[in-house]
Each structure stands twice: as C-alpha cells, then as structure tokens.
Amino acid sequence: MALNAAQPGFATTVAALRLRSWKLGASQPMDVIDQFTDADFTRIVDDRADVHVSSRDGRFYLGYFPDGRPGGADGDWVTGEGWVIAVTGTAGVPGYRMAFGTDTPAEIVAAVVARVMATSRPL
C-alpha cells in the first residue's frame, strides 16, 4: 500500500486499496430452482409463494423463502433466512444444513447447490 510518511495522518490511493465491485442483491431465484429436474426432484410452491424442492428419496431439501422463513424458535418468522439447503444424514454419518439470507445473490446459492449436487450419486 502506498503511504506518504511526509504528511500527518494516514493517506492512500484507491488503486492501493484494490477496491472491488461485489455481487449484491437477491437477483433471480430461478438460477437456483432451474437446476432441479422433474425426474429426480419434486417442486412445490405453497400459498406464500415459497418454493420447496426435495429429492425423490427425501434426503435433499431446498427451501426458498423470499420474505423470510416461517417457524423460528419463537414460532414467528425467521425474517433474514431466504434459502435453506439440507441433506439428511445416515445412521453412521450426520447430515448438514446451510442457510442464506434473503439478500444473498441467487448466483451464490446456485453455485453451492451445484456443488452439493455434484457430490451426490445414484445408489
């Protein structure tokens, strides 16, 4: 980082900070949902317009909650949780759950879903 020691205080340049532009905003949820085929997954859109996707064997779940997920610890809404991905474990290995906020870019969630899907295989 460029520093001018002759001047009192701290000084730098934008170039030295290496500022970046980052993807922000929820974007298009279909980037995530379109990854699931009708042959292998069931999709349900409920009366709140939340989308639920599950694998035919029931071990994979994806929930999309544009206004926040219902059913928090106090029975109210989990307002910041917009995406939930869960994989059920087995008798010997525990499963896992991931959650993303309502403002998480769909491209980020889509990349995570693609990676999770890449780890699955038919038995």
mmCIF file of all heavy atoms in Angstrom, residues 59-82:
data_model
loop_
_atom_site.group_PDB
_atom_site.id
_atom_site.type_symbol
_atom_site.label_atom_id
_atom_site.label_comp_id
_atom_site.label_asym_id
_atom_site.label_seq_id
_atom_site.Cartn_x
_atom_site.Cartn_y
_atom_site.Cartn_z
ATOM 1 N N ARG A 59 -33.916 -37.120 0.879
ATOM 2 C CA ARG A 59 -32.732 -36.777 1.672
ATOM 3 C C ARG A 59 -32.190 -35.386 1.393
ATOM 4 O O ARG A 59 -31.437 -34.855 2.198
ATOM 5 C CB ARG A 59 -31.641 -37.816 1.458
ATOM 6 C CG ARG A 59 -32.087 -39.174 2.022
ATOM 7 C CD ARG A 59 -30.987 -40.151 2.228
ATOM 8 N NE ARG A 59 -29.844 -39.582 2.897
ATOM 9 C CZ ARG A 59 -28.586 -39.907 2.597
ATOM 10 N NH1 ARG A 59 -28.331 -40.772 1.637
ATOM 11 N NH2 ARG A 59 -27.588 -39.375 3.254
ATOM 12 N N PHE A 60 -32.552 -34.794 0.262
ATOM 13 C CA PHE A 60 -32.126 -33.435 -0.068
ATOM 14 C C PHE A 60 -33.342 -32.519 0.000
ATOM 15 O O PHE A 60 -34.422 -32.866 -0.477
ATOM 16 C CB PHE A 60 -31.528 -33.375 -1.473
ATOM 17 C CG PHE A 60 -31.225 -31.965 -1.923
ATOM 18 C CD1 PHE A 60 -29.996 -31.397 -1.647
ATOM 19 C CD2 PHE A 60 -32.169 -31.211 -2.596
ATOM 20 C CE1 PHE A 60 -29.707 -30.090 -2.042
ATOM 21 C CE2 PHE A 60 -31.905 -29.914 -3.001
ATOM 22 C CZ PHE A 60 -30.666 -29.351 -2.720
ATOM 23 N N TYR A 61 -33.146 -31.332 0.574
ATOM 24 C CA TYR A 61 -34.223 -30.334 0.633
ATOM 25 C C TYR A 61 -33.639 -28.959 0.341
ATOM 26 O O TYR A 61 -32.569 -28.609 0.834
ATOM 27 C CB TYR A 61 -34.883 -30.307 2.017
ATOM 28 C CG TYR A 61 -35.830 -29.147 2.186
ATOM 29 C CD1 TYR A 61 -37.114 -29.195 1.647
ATOM 30 C CD2 TYR A 61 -35.445 -27.996 2.859
ATOM 31 C CE1 TYR A 61 -37.983 -28.120 1.778
ATOM 32 C CE2 TYR A 61 -36.310 -26.924 2.996
ATOM 33 C CZ TYR A 61 -37.578 -26.996 2.451
ATOM 34 O OH TYR A 61 -38.438 -25.929 2.575
ATOM 35 N N LEU A 62 -34.372 -28.190 -0.463
ATOM 36 C CA LEU A 62 -34.059 -26.790 -0.677
ATOM 37 C C LEU A 62 -35.342 -26.007 -0.465
ATOM 38 O O LEU A 62 -36.390 -26.368 -1.003
ATOM 39 C CB LEU A 62 -33.546 -26.524 -2.092
ATOM 40 C CG LEU A 62 -33.377 -25.027 -2.366
ATOM 41 C CD1 LEU A 62 -31.944 -24.695 -2.696
ATOM 42 C CD2 LEU A 62 -34.304 -24.562 -3.445
ATOM 43 N N GLY A 63 -35.275 -24.978 0.336
ATOM 44 C CA GLY A 63 -36.411 -24.083 0.529
ATOM 45 C C GLY A 63 -36.024 -22.678 0.144
ATOM 46 O O GLY A 63 -34.938 -22.209 0.492
ATOM 47 N N TYR A 64 -36.902 -22.019 -0.610
ATOM 48 C CA TYR A 64 -36.694 -20.621 -0.975
ATOM 49 C C TYR A 64 -37.826 -19.813 -0.351
ATOM 50 O O TYR A 64 -39.001 -20.073 -0.600
ATOM 51 C CB TYR A 64 -36.680 -20.453 -2.493
ATOM 52 C CG TYR A 64 -36.705 -19.008 -2.938
ATOM 53 C CD1 TYR A 64 -35.727 -18.117 -2.504
ATOM 54 C CD2 TYR A 64 -37.700 -18.534 -3.780
ATOM 55 C CE1 TYR A 64 -35.743 -16.789 -2.895
ATOM 56 C CE2 TYR A 64 -37.725 -17.206 -4.184
ATOM 57 C CZ TYR A 64 -36.752 -16.344 -3.737
ATOM 58 O OH TYR A 64 -36.776 -15.037 -4.126
ATOM 59 N N PHE A 65 -37.465 -18.851 0.486
ATOM 60 C CA PHE A 65 -38.422 -18.052 1.237
ATOM 61 C C PHE A 65 -38.145 -16.571 0.974
ATOM 62 O O PHE A 65 -37.367 -15.950 1.700
ATOM 63 C CB PHE A 65 -38.292 -18.363 2.736
ATOM 64 C CG PHE A 65 -38.309 -19.831 3.041
ATOM 65 C CD1 PHE A 65 -37.125 -20.525 3.217
ATOM 66 C CD2 PHE A 65 -39.507 -20.516 3.125
ATOM 67 C CE1 PHE A 65 -37.132 -21.877 3.490
ATOM 68 C CE2 PHE A 65 -39.521 -21.866 3.392
ATOM 69 C CZ PHE A 65 -38.348 -22.558 3.575
ATOM 70 N N PRO A 66 -38.746 -15.995 -0.068
ATOM 71 C CA PRO A 66 -38.419 -14.614 -0.443
ATOM 72 C C PRO A 66 -38.707 -13.587 0.651
ATOM 73 O O PRO A 66 -38.045 -12.556 0.716
ATOM 74 C CB PRO A 66 -39.261 -14.356 -1.686
ATOM 75 C CG PRO A 66 -40.187 -15.494 -1.824
ATOM 76 C CD PRO A 66 -39.715 -16.602 -0.961
ATOM 77 N N ASP A 67 -39.654 -13.869 1.532
ATOM 78 C CA ASP A 67 -39.995 -12.933 2.612
ATOM 79 C C ASP A 67 -39.501 -13.398 3.971
ATOM 80 O O ASP A 67 -39.907 -12.866 4.990
ATOM 81 C CB ASP A 67 -41.506 -12.714 2.661
ATOM 82 C CG ASP A 67 -42.017 -12.041 1.406
ATOM 83 O OD1 ASP A 67 -41.310 -11.170 0.862
ATOM 84 O OD2 ASP A 67 -43.118 -12.395 0.954
ATOM 85 N N GLY A 68 -38.651 -14.402 4.014
ATOM 86 C CA GLY A 68 -38.183 -14.958 5.273
ATOM 87 C C GLY A 68 -38.887 -16.270 5.576
ATOM 88 O O GLY A 68 -40.015 -16.500 5.148
ATOM 89 N N ARG A 69 -38.211 -17.122 6.309
ATOM 90 C CA ARG A 69 -38.728 -18.466 6.594
ATOM 91 C C ARG A 69 -39.652 -18.458 7.808
ATOM 92 O O ARG A 69 -39.317 -17.907 8.844
ATOM 93 C CB ARG A 69 -37.568 -19.417 6.844
ATOM 94 C CG ARG A 69 -37.994 -20.861 7.038
ATOM 95 C CD ARG A 69 -36.808 -21.768 7.211
ATOM 96 N NE ARG A 69 -36.004 -21.454 8.363
ATOM 97 C CZ ARG A 69 -36.302 -21.800 9.619
ATOM 98 N NH1 ARG A 69 -37.393 -22.460 9.888
ATOM 99 N NH2 ARG A 69 -35.484 -21.481 10.605
ATOM 100 N N PRO A 70 -40.814 -19.109 7.692
ATOM 101 C CA PRO A 70 -41.686 -19.237 8.861
ATOM 102 C C PRO A 70 -41.128 -20.280 9.830
ATOM 103 O O PRO A 70 -40.328 -21.131 9.451
ATOM 104 C CB PRO A 70 -43.011 -19.708 8.260
ATOM 105 C CG PRO A 70 -42.633 -20.393 7.001
ATOM 106 C CD PRO A 70 -41.384 -19.703 6.501
ATOM 107 N N GLY A 71 -41.550 -20.187 11.080
ATOM 108 C CA GLY A 71 -41.221 -21.230 12.044
ATOM 109 C C GLY A 71 -39.940 -21.028 12.803
ATOM 110 O O GLY A 71 -39.195 -21.964 13.024
ATOM 111 N N GLY A 72 -39.666 -19.812 13.230
ATOM 112 C CA GLY A 72 -38.481 -19.555 14.041
ATOM 113 C C GLY A 72 -38.626 -20.153 15.432
ATOM 114 O O GLY A 72 -39.635 -20.773 15.771
ATOM 115 N N ALA A 73 -37.622 -19.962 16.254
ATOM 116 C CA ALA A 73 -37.598 -20.531 17.597
ATOM 117 C C ALA A 73 -38.799 -20.086 18.428
ATOM 118 O O ALA A 73 -39.309 -20.835 19.253
ATOM 119 C CB ALA A 73 -36.299 -20.147 18.297
ATOM 120 N N ASP A 74 -39.279 -18.867 18.203
ATOM 121 C CA ASP A 74 -40.427 -18.372 18.957
ATOM 122 C C ASP A 74 -41.738 -18.563 18.190
ATOM 123 O O ASP A 74 -42.755 -17.997 18.546
ATOM 124 C CB ASP A 74 -40.228 -16.899 19.312
ATOM 125 C CG ASP A 74 -40.029 -16.023 18.076
ATOM 126 O OD1 ASP A 74 -40.028 -16.558 16.953
ATOM 127 O OD2 ASP A 74 -39.884 -14.806 18.245
ATOM 128 N N GLY A 75 -41.710 -19.378 17.122
ATOM 129 C CA GLY A 75 -42.912 -19.632 16.341
ATOM 130 C C GLY A 75 -43.246 -18.507 15.379
ATOM 131 O O GLY A 75 -44.242 -18.545 14.686
ATOM 132 N N ASP A 76 -42.425 -17.494 15.332
ATOM 133 C CA ASP A 76 -42.643 -16.365 14.440
ATOM 134 C C ASP A 76 -41.804 -16.573 13.180
ATOM 135 O O ASP A 76 -41.299 -17.660 12.926
ATOM 136 C CB ASP A 76 -42.250 -15.076 15.162
ATOM 137 C CG ASP A 76 -42.942 -13.847 14.584
ATOM 138 O OD1 ASP A 76 -43.684 -13.995 13.596
ATOM 139 O OD2 ASP A 76 -42.741 -12.757 15.127
ATOM 140 N N TRP A 77 -41.600 -15.536 12.394
ATOM 141 C CA TRP A 77 -40.833 -15.634 11.158
ATOM 142 C C TRP A 77 -39.341 -15.529 11.429
ATOM 143 O O TRP A 77 -38.906 -14.800 12.307
ATOM 144 C CB TRP A 77 -41.238 -14.529 10.181
ATOM 145 C CG TRP A 77 -42.675 -14.553 9.854
ATOM 146 C CD1 TRP A 77 -43.632 -13.720 10.353
ATOM 147 C CD2 TRP A 77 -43.343 -15.472 9.010
ATOM 148 N NE1 TRP A 77 -44.862 -14.067 9.856
ATOM 149 C CE2 TRP A 77 -44.711 -15.137 9.027
ATOM 150 C CE3 TRP A 77 -42.933 -16.546 8.237
ATOM 151 C CZ2 TRP A 77 -45.658 -15.833 8.298
ATOM 152 C CZ3 TRP A 77 -43.880 -17.229 7.511
ATOM 153 C CH2 TRP A 77 -45.212 -16.877 7.544
ATOM 154 N N VAL A 78 -38.569 -16.254 10.649
ATOM 155 C CA VAL A 78 -37.117 -16.081 10.628
ATOM 156 C C VAL A 78 -36.878 -15.118 9.479
ATOM 157 O O VAL A 78 -36.693 -15.532 8.337
ATOM 158 C CB VAL A 78 -36.394 -17.432 10.421
ATOM 159 C CG1 VAL A 78 -34.893 -17.224 10.422
ATOM 160 C CG2 VAL A 78 -36.813 -18.434 11.475
ATOM 161 N N THR A 79 -36.945 -13.831 9.765
ATOM 162 C CA THR A 79 -37.041 -12.819 8.713
ATOM 163 C C THR A 79 -35.845 -12.759 7.778
ATOM 164 O O THR A 79 -35.996 -12.459 6.616
ATOM 165 C CB THR A 79 -37.258 -11.420 9.317
ATOM 166 O OG1 THR A 79 -36.219 -11.168 10.259
ATOM 167 C CG2 THR A 79 -38.606 -11.336 10.002
ATOM 168 N N GLY A 80 -34.644 -13.043 8.233
ATOM 169 C CA GLY A 80 -33.493 -12.901 7.367
ATOM 170 C C GLY A 80 -33.129 -14.141 6.581
ATOM 171 O O GLY A 80 -32.252 -14.104 5.734
ATOM 172 N N GLU A 81 -33.782 -15.261 6.833
ATOM 173 C CA GLU A 81 -33.397 -16.527 6.195
ATOM 174 C C GLU A 81 -34.209 -16.745 4.926
ATOM 175 O O GLU A 81 -35.402 -16.971 4.975
ATOM 176 C CB GLU A 81 -33.622 -17.677 7.177
ATOM 177 C CG GLU A 81 -32.873 -18.925 6.833
ATOM 178 C CD GLU A 81 -32.886 -19.910 7.990
ATOM 179 O OE1 GLU A 81 -33.829 -20.725 8.053
ATOM 180 O OE2 GLU A 81 -31.961 -19.855 8.806
ATOM 181 N N GLY A 82 -33.535 -16.660 3.775
ATOM 182 C CA GLY A 82 -34.230 -16.767 2.499
ATOM 183 C C GLY A 82 -34.042 -18.087 1.784
ATOM 184 O O GLY A 82 -34.872 -18.483 0.968
#
